[in-house]
């Protein structure tokens, strides 16, 4: 029952935010009543925090399965970028939850006793990859693993969270398959070029030919 409640709550919070979410709708979607919901999870704020913690636990769990420690460093970084991009695509509710919590200045996440412990092993995993890359000569600099991950996540997050407005501004459908593939290639080339000191072209990141409409001066 708890898992059903959390799944229903995730959908409700991602669709309506914390303020717009309704406990009655969550209970109905979960096939429960409000009394059962409060018994299994707690009040609305406690339910929201449990959903946030579950969302972070899910992505960190899947990241641990990437087996980055046993890949060549450039391939490990490539796999991390591909995973992050595809995870965000597959889980748009995760991006919605992040947007909601950032608008609240992480007020609820600050109360979590679990989230920080989830992230420490993940940061160390990236640090190990970077150190191996420097030792092997693949990478030119031992970048801060936190900064590296934030950059990888940001390259995906901004594009996807703002795809509607960016598509209108630039006159492209940024969520078409070829546009998504181009974006992934571009992100991967940028990050690997920064780590290795090579050109983005070495990683398939050469700039695409400008579309005819983009040649016009406005």
């Amino acid at each position: 029952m708890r898992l059903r409640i959390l799944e229903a709550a995730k959908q409700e919070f991602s669709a309506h935010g914390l303020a717009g979410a309704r406990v009655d709708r969550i209970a109905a979607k979960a096939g429960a009543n409000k009394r059962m919901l409060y018994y299994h999870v707690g009040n609305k704020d406690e339910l929201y925090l449990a959903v946030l913690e579950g969302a972070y636990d899910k992505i960190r769990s899947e990241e641990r399965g990437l087996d980055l420690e046993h890949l060549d460093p450039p391939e490990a970084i490539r796999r991390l970028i591909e995973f992050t991009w595809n995870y965000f695509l597959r889980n748009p509710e995760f991006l919605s939850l992040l947007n909601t919590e950032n608008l609240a200045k992480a007020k609820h996440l600050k109360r979590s006793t679990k989230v920080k412990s989830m992230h420490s092993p993940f940061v160390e995993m990236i640090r190990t990859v970077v150190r191996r890359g420097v030792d092997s000569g693949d990478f030119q600099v031992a970048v801060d693993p936190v900064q590296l991950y934030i950059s990888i996540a940001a390259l995906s997050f901004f594009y996807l969270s703002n795809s509607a407005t960016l598509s209108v501004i630039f006159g492209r459908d940024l969520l078409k398959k070829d546009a998504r593939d181009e974006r992934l290639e571009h992100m991967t080339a940028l990050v690997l070029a920064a780590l290795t000191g090579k050109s983005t072209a070495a990683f398939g990141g050469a700039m695409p030919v400008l579309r005819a409409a983009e040649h016009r001066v406005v």
Side-chain angles (χ1 to χ4, degrees), residues 48 52 97-109:
Y48 173 71
L52 275 178
L97 289 169
L98 294 185
N99 281 329
T100 295
E101 187 59 9
N102 275 293
L103 286 172
K105 307 296 184 185
K107 178 178 74 173
H108 304 87
L109 204 59

Side-chain angles (χ1 to χ4, degrees), residues 39-57:
Y39 172 78
H40 285 284
V41 184
N43 62 28
K44 185 178 177 182
D45 278 354
E46 291 168 331
L47 179 57
Y48 173 71
L49 179 57
V51 167
L52 275 178
E53 290 176 336
Y56 277 109
D57 183 56

Side-chain angles (χ1 to χ4, degrees), residues 46-92:
E46 291 168 331
L47 179 57
Y48 173 71
L49 179 57
V51 167
L52 275 178
E53 290 176 336
Y56 277 109
D57 183 56
K58 183 173 183 291
I59 188 171
R60 296 289 92 93
S61 237
E62 292 195 24
E63 284 162 343
R64 287 195 296 273
L66 295 176
D67 198 31
L68 302 184
E69 299 95 328
H70 299 100
L71 296 174
D72 289 338
E75 183 57 31
I77 296 300
R78 184 184 294 275
R79 180 174 290 189
L80 177 60
I81 296 167
E82 290 175 353
F83 168 82
T84 303
W85 171 251
N86 287 312
Y87 189 90
F88 287 177
L89 278 171
R90 293 194 317 270
N91 298 275

Side-chain angles (χ1 to χ4, degrees), residues 4 17-18 26 41 68 86 91 94 141 145 150 158 165 172 208:
R4 290 213 310 267
L18 178 58
I26 294 170
V41 184
L68 302 184
N86 287 312
N91 298 275
F94 181 60
V141 59
I150 290 173
F158 182 87
T165 53
R172 303 184 189 181

